[in-house]
Amino acid sequence: MACTRRTKTLVSTCVILSGMTNIVCLLYVGWVTNYLANVYVKVPEPVPEKKLEEDSKGETLRIIERLDRLENVVNQHIQETPQKTDGNAGAESFSDSSLFAHWGQDLSPESRRVALKKFQYYGYNSYLSDRLSLDRPIPDLRPDGCKNISYPANLPQVSIVFIFVNEALSVILRSIHSAILRTPSHLLREIILVDDNSSNEELKEKLQDFVDETNAQRAGFIKVVRHAKQEGLIRSRVSGWRAASAPVVALFDAHVEFNVGWAEPILLRIKEDRTRIISPSFDNIKYDTFEIEEYPLSAQGFDWELWCRYLNPPKSWWNQQNNTAPIRSPALIGCFVVDRRYFEEIGLLDEGMEVYGGENVELGIRVWQCGGTVEVLPCARIAHIERAHKPYTEDLTAHVRRNALRVAEVWMDEFKSHVYMAWNIPQKDSGIDIGDITERKALRKRLQCKTFRWYLVNVYSEMRMYTDTIAYGVLKNSLKSDLCLDQGPDSDNVPILYICHGMTPQNVYYTSTQQLHVGVLSPTIDDDDNKCLVDVNSRPRLIECSYATAKRMKLHWLFTQGGSIQNRKSKRCLELVESSDNEFGYQLALQKCSGQRWTITHLLTGSTL
Ligand SMILES: *[C@@H]1O[C@H](CO)[C@@H](O)[C@H](O)[C@H]1NC(C)=O
Ligand SMILES: *[C@@H]1O[C@H](CO)[C@@H](O)[C@H](O)[C@H]1NC(C)=O
Ligand SMILES: *[C@@H]1O[C@H](CO)[C@@H](O)[C@H](O)[C@H]1NC(C)=O
C-alpha cells in the first residue's frame, strides 16, 4: 500500500521503481556498482584535478552524478532489506540505518542492536511498538465539519478483517485494540484475523492466548483463519471475507490504527447505496517513530503500470467547498469497506492474481465499469504504517506485472496497449504467463460492464491517453548497439547515450504525429508532462511536449525502423559522433545525415514504421 504521492519527487530510476521491488533496483545497482568500479579502475592514479575539470564539461560528470544519486537511493534499499541469514546484523550498519535518523539516539548499543534486527525483519520499528500502549490516543485528524455530523442509530454492522504475515504481535494487537476502542460496540459484529502462514512463533501461542481471553468475555468475537500455505495478500482478503458474517465487511492490513468516528460515515454511505465501495482517508504511522503524520485528502488512482497512486480530489469535489463530502475515486489503494453480498455479486477479487499488487486497481475499474461506485470519505480516517520494506517475496515486480497484464487483458480493451507500453514489453508473445482469465472475462460479460473508454472519459479523466503511439522501447544506433538513448540526469534537459538497461529513463515512444517522447510515460494530467526530443539550435534537447508544441519548436522526426531519425524542419539527423571525452566513446549530435540507422524495440500491434 505504499502508493505514489507525487511524481515530482520521483527523481531517478530507482525511486520510480521503489514501489515495485528492490530487486530490480539491486540488479541495476549491482550493475551500476560494477560499472563504477570499472570507471574508477580506468582513471589513472592519482586522479589529476585538471582532468576532472575538463570532464565536467563533457558527459562523464553528468553520468557519474547520476550514478551517485542512484547509489544513494539504492544504498538505502540495500540497508533496509531484510537479512537473509538470521546471523548478527553488522555493527557497522548501525549508524547508517534510517531507523536511527530520528529515533533511538539514547539507546544502549545492545538495545540498538536488538531494535535494528527487528526493524530489518518487520520493516518498521517493532522495538518501539512493543513499548507503546496498545490503547494509545492518536490525534483526531478529521476535517472540522465531521465532528458535527450526526448519524442514525440503525446502521448496519461491520466485520473487520485484518490480514497479515509475520507481523509484529504488538502491531496486530494495537490494530485490534483501536478497532474495538473506536468503533461503536453495537456496530462491530466481529474481528477476523487472517494469518497468511506466518512462520513467526509469537503469532501462534501468544496471539491465540489473546484471542481466547477476549472470546471468553464475548464468545466468537475474534475469529482466526490460518492458511496452511502462503496465499498472498489477495487471496487472504477473500479468505477473510468468507469468514465474515456481518452485512458489511472492512478489509484491512493489520498495521493500522483507527481514528474516532471512522465507521459511522462509511456505514451510512453503504446503507444508502450498497453498490458503493468505500475507502477511508489514510494518514501515515511513521515506521521509525510511530508518530502519526497527516496526509492530505486524496482520491485513489493508478498509473499505466497499474501501480496505485494518490490523486488530487476531482474539481467537482473542490467546487462543493465541503471538505466532509465524499471524494469520488477512480480506484482503491488496498484497504476498503464493502457490502458483503455486493462484493460477491461483483466478483470479489481476482483470485487468479498472485501475491500482491493490481488487485485494488482491478476492483476499482471493475466496480465502476459494472455499475457501482468508489469513494473516499474524509470523515473516516485510518492511520497506516508505510513500511520501509515489504515482507512478502522480494521479487514483487514479476507478480505486479503479471497481475497488471491480467487487468489489461480482461478490462482495458484497446487501452491494454498502454500497460504493455508502460512495462516496456511486447504486446504479442510477451513470454509472460498470466494464467487463465476466461472466468474473469465471463464475469465481465455476465455483469454487462461498460468499456474502459467509458471509464477513462467518465471516471478517470485525469488519466493521459496515448492512442497515437505506434512504437516503443529503447532506441539503439547500429554503430554501437550496446548504447541506448537515455534521458540523462533530471537536473538538465540533455539526452545522453548510456549502456542499455531498458529502465524508465530509456523508454522511448514514437507517435503517429512524429514526436519522440523520452522517459517515463506521464500517467495523469496532474503529473509532469512528457519530454519530447527537440532540435534546439542544432543540439538535441528534451523539452516538455506541451511547451515545445506551443512554442512551435522543432519536435517532429521522420523515422522508420532501421532508418535515420531526421528532424522534419531542420533536416538534421540524430547521430552518434566519436568523442574521446565520453566514457563510452560516443556522444549524440544533430548533423547532416550520414545514413546512420536506428531501431526501436517494439511496434504496437497493427502499426507499421
Ligand atoms: C459544531 O457544533 C457546535 C455546537 O453544537 C457549534 O458551536 C459549531 O459552530 C459547529 N461547528 C461547525 C463547523 O459547524
Ligand atoms: C504453513 O505452511 C506449511 C506448508 O507450506 C505447513 O506445513 C504449516 O503447517 C503452515 N503453518 C501454519 C501455521 O498453518
Ligand atoms: C457536506 O457533506 C456532508 C457529508 O456528505 C453532508 O452531510 C453535508 O450536508 C454537506 N454540507 C453542505 C453544506 O452541503
Side-chain angles (χ1 to χ4, degrees):
M1 244 194 59
C3 296
T4 310
R5 280 218 158 251
R6 277 185 311 274
T7 39
K8 290 202 200 321
T9 56
L10 300 184
V11 287
S12 68
T13 313
C14 271
V15 177
I16 291 166
L17 287 171
S18 68
M20 279 184 218
T21 175
N22 303 337
I23 281 286
V24 177
C25 284
L26 293 183
L27 285 178
Y28 185 35
V29 161
W31 170 81
V32 164
T33 319
N34 281 339
Y35 168 73
L36 264 184
N38 289 336
V39 171
Y40 287 139
V41 170
K42 271 191 251 155
V43 175
E45 286 176 85
V47 184
E49 300 250 335
K50 243 189 166 170
K51 175 86 171 80
L52 267 179
E53 267 175 33
E54 279 169 24
D55 268 2
S56 72
K57 296 195 183 73
E59 310 262 273
T60 312
L61 203 69
R62 264 207 298 276
I63 291 170
I64 298 281
E65 178 198 317
R66 172 187 171 77
L67 292 177
D68 279 350
R69 229 187 19 210
L70 273 177
E71 252 209 331
N72 287 339
V73 176
V74 169
N75 273 338
Q76 225 174 335
H77 283 286
I78 294 171
Q79 273 168 30
E80 314 303 14
T81 300
Q83 302 277 304
K84 277 275 186 293
T85 60
D86 264 355
N88 293 329
E92 69 281 0
S93 53
F94 262 42
S95 47
D96 299 337
S97 171
S98 66
L99 177 61
F100 299 117
H102 308 284
W103 176 85
Q105 284 81 4
D106 324 329
L107 289 185
S108 70
E110 174 56 17
S111 302
R112 281 163 76 92
R113 197 186 63 77
V114 174
L116 181 62
K117 207 170 158 191
K118 289 185 144 215
F119 175 62
Q120 285 168 335
Y121 183 78
Y122 290 116
Y124 49 68
N125 191 349
S126 72
Y127 178 92
L128 174 60
S129 171
D130 293 348
R131 285 157 180 78
L132 294 175
S133 158
L134 296 179
D135 291 331
R136 71 170 183 158
I138 59 172
D140 181 356
L141 296 173
R142 294 174 298 170
D144 285 340
C146 296
K147 291 157 203 159
N148 277 19
I149 300 176
S150 55
Y151 296 94
N154 62 342
L155 292 170
Q157 282 195 321
V158 61
S159 299
I160 300 180
V161 174
F162 291 115
I163 59 166
F164 57 89
V165 60
N166 292 338
E167 193 96 64
L169 179 63
S170 63
V171 166
I172 298 178
L173 293 181
R174 193 171 297 106
S175 302
I176 299 173
H177 274 247
S178 77
I180 295 174
L181 201 62
R182 306 208 179 93
T183 311
S185 59
H186 70 283
L187 295 179
L188 181 54
R189 167 87 52 96
E190 66 200 347
I191 287 175
I192 294 158
L193 304 177
V194 181
D195 181 344
D196 192 18
N197 198 255
S198 298
S199 52
N200 192 343
E201 285 303 320
E202 70 173 2
L203 294 185
K204 292 171 187 160
E205 255 171 63
K206 284 190 192 159
L207 183 60
Q208 194 59 47
D209 289 348
F210 169 80
V211 170
D212 294 342
E213 271 171 42
T214 312
N215 286 350
Q217 321 243 319
R218 196 171 161 184
F221 180 61
I222 302 185
K223 294 181 183 164
V224 184
V225 178
R226 293 190 197 275
H227 283 175
K229 69 178 186 39
Q230 201 160 80
E231 298 282 358
L233 175 148
I234 298 164
R235 292 196 286 269
S236 296
R237 291 223 162 99
V238 178
S239 294
W241 171 85
R242 290 209 167 92
S245 65
V248 175
V249 184
L251 296 153
F252 283 103
D253 296 343
H255 42 268
V256 296
E257 286 173 64
F258 291 78
N259 218 318
V260 291
W262 76 278
E264 296 89 330
I266 295 181
L267 296 174
L268 178 60
R269 292 293 289 174
I270 292 175
K271 183 184 151 88
E272 287 168 358
D273 180 348
R274 63 194 284 274
T275 69
R276 288 175 181 152
I277 297 200
I278 313 253
S279 170
S281 293
F282 289 101
D283 296 299
N284 184 28
I285 303 171
K286 292 185 182 170
Y287 63 75
D288 50 352
T289 61
F290 271 58
E291 288 163 330
I292 310 287
E293 173 187 15
E294 180 171 0
Y295 272 168
L297 290 175
S298 313
Q300 301 168 6
F302 52 88
D303 60 23
W304 281 116
E305 288 172 325
L306 308 193
W307 276 107
C308 57
R309 60 197 295 114
Y310 290 100
L311 305 172
N312 193 14
K315 256 208 194 92
S316 54
W317 183 82
W318 291 106
N319 289 343
Q320 290 175 65
Q321 301 194 315
N322 179 357
N323 60 8
T324 68
I327 302 168
R328 185 185 141 95
S329 183
L332 290 152
I333 272 170
C335 299
F336 54 89
V337 187
V338 60
D339 179 278
R340 185 165 57 90
R341 286 275 146 243
Y342 176 67
F343 191 38
E344 183 173 39
E345 287 160 27
I346 201 82
L348 301 171
L349 294 171
D350 178 359
E351 291 179 84
M353 288 186 175
E354 299 289 353
V355 185
Y356 171 91
E359 83 288 352
N360 41 351
V361 171
E362 192 261 0
L363 177 63
I365 293 172
R366 169 156 48 91
V367 165
W368 279 110
Q369 283 183 218
C370 310
T373 56
V374 178
E375 62 192 36
V376 179
L377 294 187
C379 294
R381 292 195 87 103
I382 285 166
H384 167 269
I385 305 177
E386 263 170 38
R387 296 174 197 259
H389 54 255
K390 294 204 182 294
Y392 275 99
T393 142
E394 282 184 29
D395 193 6
L396 274 179
T397 312
H399 297 296
V400 174
R401 186 174 63 186
R402 176 184 179 279
N403 292 348
L405 296 184
R406 285 179 71 88
V407 184
E409 291 293 338
V410 176
W411 296 102
M412 296 174 74
D413 312 321
E414 71 270 30
F415 291 94
K416 70 181 177 187
S417 63
H418 291 45
V419 179
Y420 286 87
M421 285 196 297
W423 283 101
N424 201 2
I425 46 181
Q427 206 178 319
K428 272 230 163 72
D429 306 322
S430 69
I432 297 166
D433 176 10
I434 65 167
D436 186 0
I437 54 171
T438 47
E439 258 184 53
R440 300 311 280 180
K441 284 188 150 171
L443 174 74
R444 178 172 175 179
K445 207 164 177 194
R446 192 167 71 241
L447 296 173
Q448 302 186 322
C449 307
K450 298 192 179 78
T451 63
F452 193 72
R453 180 178 289 279
W454 173 88
Y455 170 81
L456 282 183
V457 170
N458 294 282
V459 181
Y460 200 2
S461 54
E462 302 95 326
M463 197 66 161
R464 290 183 200 247
M465 301 186 200
Y466 293 95
T467 45
D468 60 357
T469 303
I470 52 179
Y472 61 102
V474 295
L475 203 52
K476 293 181 185 183
N477 188 298
S478 60
L479 211 55
K480 192 90 176 72
S481 60
D482 57 337
L483 298 185
C484 285
L485 185 75
D486 187 300
Q487 70 178 26
D490 302 299
S491 48
D492 64 25
N493 58 0
V494 183
I496 60 173
L497 284 167
Y498 200 76
I499 301 270
C500 294
H501 53 65
M503 306 261 189
T504 330
Q506 295 186 347
N507 285 3
V508 173
Y509 304 90
Y510 187 62
T511 69
S512 57
T513 56
Q514 299 178 324
Q515 293 179 4
L516 272 168
H517 298 207
V518 181
V520 67
L521 205 56
S522 180
T524 80
I525 51 176
D526 294 329
D527 298 298
D528 286 344
D529 198 2
N530 298 289
K531 294 276 182 72
C532 272
L533 184 70
V534 180
D535 176 343
V536 178
N537 301 327
S538 310
R539 294 212 162 83
R541 291 290 180 261
L542 294 173
I543 312 275
E544 289 199 349
C545 297
S546 52
Y547 181 84
T549 306
K551 295 282 175 190
R552 297 165 175 271
M553 298 172 96
K554 302 184 186 98
L555 77 162
H556 297 105
W557 304 86
L558 302 168
F559 170 47
T560 52
Q561 185 73 306
S564 60
I565 297 181
Q566 184 182 32
N567 193 280
R568 215 164 71 184
K569 240 187 218 165
S570 73
K571 304 294 180 206
R572 280 181 286 261
C573 275
L574 181 71
E575 299 203 334
L576 304 194
V577 293
E578 286 189 42
S579 154
S580 56
D581 280 350
N582 190 288
E583 216 51 57
F584 308 110
Y586 288 94
Q587 65 185 37
L588 285 168
L590 290 174
Q591 61 183 15
K592 189 161 178 294
C593 303
S594 72
Q596 286 184 18
R597 301 151 62 84
W598 291 90
T599 50
I600 190 163
T601 330
H602 310 294
L603 294 188
L604 267 181
T605 316
S607 300
T608 50
L609 195 61

